[in-house]
Amino acid sequence: MSGIIKKAIFPAAGLGTRFLPATKASPKEMLPIVDKPMIQYAVEEAIACNINEFVIITGKHKRTIEDHFDYAFELEDKLKKSGKKKLLKEINRLNRFKIAYIRQGYALGLGHAILCAKPFVKEEPFAVILSDDIIDTEDTLLKDMIRLYKDLEGPVLALQQVPMSEIHRYGVIDGEKEWDGVYRIKNLIEKPKIKDAPSDLAIIGRYILTPDIFDILEKSKPGKGSEIQLTDAIKKLLHKRPVYGYLFKGKRYDAGDKLGYLKATVALALKNPELSEQFRSYMLEVSEGLKNV
Ligand code: UTP
């Protein structure tokens, strides 16, 4: 399986309005979940799939992302002198991977952010990872999608069943089941009202796409929210080739909004070897306290 998908795009140029004021001057993607920024979880997920070329789409106020994946000489020097070898290793662990940065001048939407990566991707299939959709590290969603791409030779979108009360927040598919967990997509609707939603299967932040999407994105006009929507472009792609959906049944946290972010923090803190024991007792204490409120 290794080597089929070598490139990943990490769109990180959004304005992060659901997280204001925290995102006024610093990127949402740099918000930490326990001890790592969200974008690092995303890059590590790609590395675990043998992807070795990365491009992060950045925008204004996003320079800290570049700094995060670079050497930090003063800090390294200090850690070296104080014998903190483990920390030193941890902060440099990802430095050997080459990450390219492309700036999206205006946040014109996810579709436009992906179009910005065209010169980097060229003629290869590629993965797209939205770093504010945190996938539990024990799950193998992206690996499974790459395997499916190899079998079906067509774009694969990650899907998750969501409650109808939340359906208006997602791109939603109308699909035909190919086999358990795999759908051939017939139609897509971006952020539908409950009455217009063709299913409860929502597109989440992992995609395997083919370079023919760029031709469509180049001709795309702004859709919902005056943004160039990736969903609209994939909808047009449906006329040209089969597109598949892969139903993810594991744990995902939409850390792009405050509640999802808090849930992700709690879940990952409970799994963190250094914190789990103490944090678990604290959570029990809190839940006991809540019983008396
Ligand atoms: P979101 O829909 O979460 O938008 O984008 P956002 O701007 O980040 O946040 P809100 O909705 O205003 O709170 C999904 C992903 O696409 C990227 C974002 O950075 C995020 O990773 N994106 C979005 C871009 O790179 N460029 C854009 O123009 C829009």
Side-chain angles (χ1 to χ4, degrees):
M1 183 191 84
S2 91
I4 305 162
I5 303 291
K6 295 194 295 263
K7 295 180 175 174
I9 305 178
F10 303 85
L15 299 178
T17 53
R18 284 171 293 158
F19 238 113
L20 285 168
T23 46
K24 187 179 170 198
S26 44
K28 173 174 72 177
E29 294 75 12
M30 283 300 290
L31 290 172
I33 308 271
V34 185
D35 56 359
K36 279 190 284 193
M38 296 196 223
I39 188 100
Q40 184 172 339
Y41 286 93
V43 170
E44 287 176 355
E45 190 180 322
I47 292 170
C49 295
N50 294 320
I51 290 172
N52 55 18
E53 291 180 55
F54 314 93
V55 65
I56 300 180
I57 309 300
T58 67
K60 282 175 198 68
H61 311 305
K62 304 276 181 171
R63 284 207 193 115
T64 49
I65 299 180
E66 296 180 34
D67 290 341
H68 181 71
F69 290 108
D70 200 356
Y71 290 95
F73 298 110
E74 201 184 338
L75 178 64
E76 283 168 33
D77 196 45
K78 184 146 187 163
L79 292 176
K80 246 181 237 161
K81 282 183 181 144
S82 53
K84 295 187 172 156
K85 285 189 192 149
K86 201 173 153 210
L87 261 186
L88 185 64
K89 202 169 156 204
E90 179 55 34
I91 65 156
N92 283 337
R93 202 161 47 80
L94 300 184
N95 288 2
R96 68 192 166 90
F97 294 97
K98 292 288 160 264
I99 301 179
Y101 298 90
I102 295 178
R103 212 162 146 120
Q104 185 188 20
Y106 286 94
L108 297 178
L110 177 58
H112 181 258
I114 288 168
L115 180 59
C116 292
K118 186 183 173 188
F120 164 85
V121 169
K122 300 193 181 94
E123 290 304 315
E124 288 175 54
F126 58 97
V128 174
I129 302 182
L130 304 189
S131 53
D132 53 359
D133 250 348
I134 306 261
I135 301 295
D136 198 297
T137 44
E138 281 161 24
D139 283 309
T140 54
L141 171 60
L142 195 61
K143 269 191 196 141
D144 298 339
M145 291 172 70
I146 294 175
R147 206 169 290 131
L148 198 60
Y149 172 80
K150 189 187 164 203
D151 290 345
L152 299 170
E153 293 181 347
V156 181
L157 319 183
L159 306 174
Q160 199 170 40
Q161 233 166 350
V162 301
M164 285 314 262
S165 56
E166 290 174 19
I167 208 82
H168 63 278
R169 295 169 44 198
Y170 293 92
V172 180
I173 70 138
D174 183 8
E176 224 165 61
K177 207 172 186 174
E178 289 273 308
W179 63 84
D180 191 33
V182 177
Y183 293 81
R184 177 154 173 187
I185 297 174
K186 297 276 167 215
N187 195 11
L188 300 164
I189 304 187
E190 182 64 22
K191 300 190 172 66
K193 292 187 179 129
I194 295 182
K195 67 175 177 54
D196 302 324
S199 73
D200 62 352
L201 299 177
I203 302 168
I204 58 170
R206 301 293 180 276
Y207 307 74
I208 305 292
L209 296 175
T210 43
D212 43 2
I213 196 75
F214 293 124
D215 299 337
I216 301 175
L217 284 169
E218 263 163 350
K219 290 178 199 132
S220 294
K221 301 231 155 54
K224 257 206 175 131
S226 304
E227 293 189 338
I228 295 183
Q229 298 286 353
L230 179 61
T231 322
D232 293 343
I234 298 174
K235 194 170 166 170
K236 289 194 182 116
L237 191 63
L238 292 176
H239 300 298
K240 296 189 171 181
R241 65 184 304 155
V243 176
Y244 300 92
Y246 175 70
L247 184 59
F248 177 57
K249 293 183 181 149
K251 269 267 165 232
R252 173 187 72 101
Y253 305 95
D254 178 3
D257 75 19
K258 292 169 198 170
L259 185 60
Y261 176 81
L262 290 173
K263 287 182 185 173
T265 303
V266 169
L268 297 195
L270 285 171
K271 286 186 172 193
N272 183 292
E274 280 171 27
L275 295 173
S276 63
E277 207 180 309
Q278 276 175 293
F279 191 61
R280 188 173 296 276
S281 355
Y282 174 67
M283 291 307 288
L284 287 171
E285 228 176 82
V286 170
S287 63
E288 274 306 308
L290 285 177
K291 281 183 198 156
N292 304 323
V293 174

